[in-house]
């Protein structure tokens, strides 16, 4: 019996729980069954109560209090503890049938997907053994990042890193589109759907933050001909993100993203049901959900009576 699931990933504040809630509502509206799995041991408020909750096994608050760990170290400990007790998760999901879509809501610490092997190990468990689940990752990146291209490419690089580490079919999503409506022209926004290094050629931040003569130490008694990474005091953290080295770093990241050619984005506005349904259609395609469904008999209420 096939099982199907989607893992909702992304940095903190990207709207993962909000999207999970909108997805569950959309599934219910369209008479589809779902299981909501909360794997964020720090989460508290839910529009939809989780059907499976990692906090029944371990919570971040308890770990931080008992082991004197910080939030990031505590989260890593929680997932290592989960990996040692995967029979708990297997028992919770073993009876799920192919009619259900399992929605995994993950924490926002991206090091769990990119730096430590705990989430890749969890994915391997879900895909193999008793569960044998068809999985798709949905990586959310906040659409407001398009206003800061350095931040956008950093987020895109994180998405690509997650794709490589998890080795799953992947859907990348620009979330919170309702926040930039009317602020970013549609033609400009389309350039971010398939990111490439050309986005840095006309970066608005250049005019305000990058002074080429100053960066090269030209004029005004600037350090002989030696290159400077930015104007002002180099010890000032604000100047670190204004200089030539930072610009070269961004260019290198953007070219890496472009050369791999793996990341493209869907647009998501959770306030529009068709937008949620559009992202769901890509998830369904990735996990081949509809191919496994058996024809259903019509119920009386589904038949229009004359």
């Amino acid at each position: 019996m096939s099982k199907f699931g989607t893992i909702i990933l992304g940095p903190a504040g990207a709207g993962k729980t909000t999207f999970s809630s909108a997805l569950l509502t959309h599934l219910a509206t369209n008479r589809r069954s779902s299981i909501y799995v909360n794997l964020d041991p720090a989460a508290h408020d839910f529009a939809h109560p989780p059907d499976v909750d990692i906090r029944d096994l371990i919570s971040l608050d308890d770990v931080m209090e008992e082991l004197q760990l910080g939030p990031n170290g505590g989260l890593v400990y929680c997932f290592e503890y989960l990996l040692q007790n995967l029979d708990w998760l297997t028992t919770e999901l073993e009876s799920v049938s192919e009619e259900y879509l399992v929605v995994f809501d993950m924490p926002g610490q991206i090091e769990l997907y990119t730096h430590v092997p705990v989430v890749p190990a969890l994915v391997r468990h879900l895909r193999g053994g008793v569960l044998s689940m068809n999985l798709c990752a949905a990586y959310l990146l906040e659409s407001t990042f398009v206003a800061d291209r350095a931040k956008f490419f950093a987020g895109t690089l994180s998405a690509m890193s997650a794709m490589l580490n998890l080795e799953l079919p992947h859907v990348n999503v620009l979330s919170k589109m309702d926040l930039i409506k009317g602020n970013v022209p549609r033609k400009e926004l389309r350039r971010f759907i398939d990111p490439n290094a050309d986005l840095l050629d006309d970066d608005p931040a250049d005019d305000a933050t990058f002074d080429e003569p100053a960066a090269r130490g030209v004029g005004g008694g600037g350090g002989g001909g030696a290159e400077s990474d930015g104007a002002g005091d180099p010890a000032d953290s604000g100047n670190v993100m204004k200089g030539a080295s930072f610009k070269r770093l961004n260019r290198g990241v953007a070219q890496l993203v472009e050369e791999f050619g793996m990341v493209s984005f869907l647009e998501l506005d959770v306030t529009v049901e068709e937008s949620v349904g559009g992202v769901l259609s890509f998830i369904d395609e990735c996990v081949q959900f509809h191919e496994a469904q058996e024809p259903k008999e019509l119920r009386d209420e589904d038949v229009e009576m004359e």
Side-chain angles (χ1 to χ4, degrees):
M1 180 175 60
S2 301
K3 296 182 185 352
F4 303 94
T6 180
I7 301 179
I8 312 300
L9 311 171
K16 297 181 295 298
T17 298
T18 301
F19 172 56
S20 297
S21 176
L23 186 59
L24 293 167
T25 299
H26 181 81
L27 289 166
T29 301
N30 289 274
R31 296 180 178 177
R32 282 184 56 178
S33 302
S34 61
I35 297 289
Y36 182 29
V37 180
N38 172 49
L39 290 182
D40 185 354
H44 292 288
D45 300 320
F46 300 95
H48 293 266
D51 300 293
V52 180
D53 194 341
I54 191 175
R55 297 175 303 168
D56 295 334
L57 179 69
I58 189 170
S59 75
L60 181 61
D61 290 340
D62 291 342
V63 168
M64 292 175 63
E65 180 179 350
E66 294 178 16
L67 301 180
Q68 299 298 304
L69 293 173
N72 289 340
L75 276 168
V76 173
Y77 180 90
C78 288
F79 268 81
E80 289 176 342
Y81 187 83
L82 174 63
L83 291 182
Q84 294 170 6
N85 295 273
L86 285 173
D87 54 337
W88 167 80
L89 187 59
T90 300
T91 300
E92 295 286 347
L93 297 176
E94 193 171 3
S95 61
V96 173
S97 71
E98 63 186 14
E99 296 180 358
Y100 287 79
L101 181 67
V102 183
V103 178
F104 295 90
D105 189 2
M106 303 291 287
Q109 277 62 28
I110 60 173
E111 58 265 31
L112 293 173
Y113 326 123
T114 60
H115 291 71
V116 291
V118 288
V119 175
L122 172 64
V123 166
R124 288 193 294 271
H125 174 77
L126 294 172
R127 297 181 72 183
V130 175
L131 294 177
S132 189
M133 188 176 294
N134 291 0
L135 286 174
C136 166
Y139 193 98
L140 272 60
L141 188 66
E142 192 173 339
S143 61
T144 55
F145 282 17
V146 304
D148 185 337
R149 298 186 185 183
K151 187 182 293 186
F152 172 78
F153 275 110
T156 303
L157 182 64
S158 295
M160 189 174 77
S161 178
M163 294 174 75
L164 294 171
N165 280 316
L166 298 185
E167 300 180 339
L168 284 176
H170 218 87
V171 175
N172 296 298
V173 181
L174 282 177
S175 63
K176 302 185 179 181
M177 291 297 297
D178 52 306
L179 298 183
I180 65 169
K181 282 182 178 177
N183 297 319
V184 180
R186 186 70 191 167
K187 183 178 180 181
E188 178 70 8
L189 183 60
R190 278 197 289 266
R191 300 177 63 198
F192 292 86
I193 300 303
D194 294 297
N196 60 67
D198 292 343
L199 285 168
L200 294 176
D201 292 339
D202 56 353
D203 188 352
D206 287 350
D207 297 334
T209 63
F210 183 71
D211 184 350
E212 184 71 31
R216 296 185 179 277
V218 177
E227 184 179 0
S228 169
D229 277 343
D233 182 4
D236 183 353
S237 60
N239 289 323
V240 172
M241 301 179 67
K242 296 180 181 179
S245 295
F246 185 65
K247 188 174 182 179
R248 288 196 300 272
L249 174 63
N250 290 333
R251 177 69 61 176
V253 169
Q255 289 174 343
L256 181 67
V257 169
E258 181 178 350
E259 288 169 7
F260 268 76
M262 296 175 61
V263 183
S264 61
F265 289 97
L266 303 173
E267 301 173 33
L268 172 66
D269 180 352
V270 295
T271 65
V272 179
E273 188 170 352
E274 289 79 7
S275 179
V276 178
V279 174
L280 175 61
S281 68
F282 279 86
I283 292 173
D284 284 340
E285 181 70 19
C286 286
V287 300
Q288 299 180 315
F289 177 82
H290 294 293
E291 294 183 17
Q293 302 309 301
E294 296 291 336
K296 298 180 181 179
E297 294 184 7
L298 290 176
R299 299 173 296 181
D300 290 342
E301 56 266 34
D302 294 329
V303 180
E304 186 176 329
M305 303 298 292
E306 298 253 347

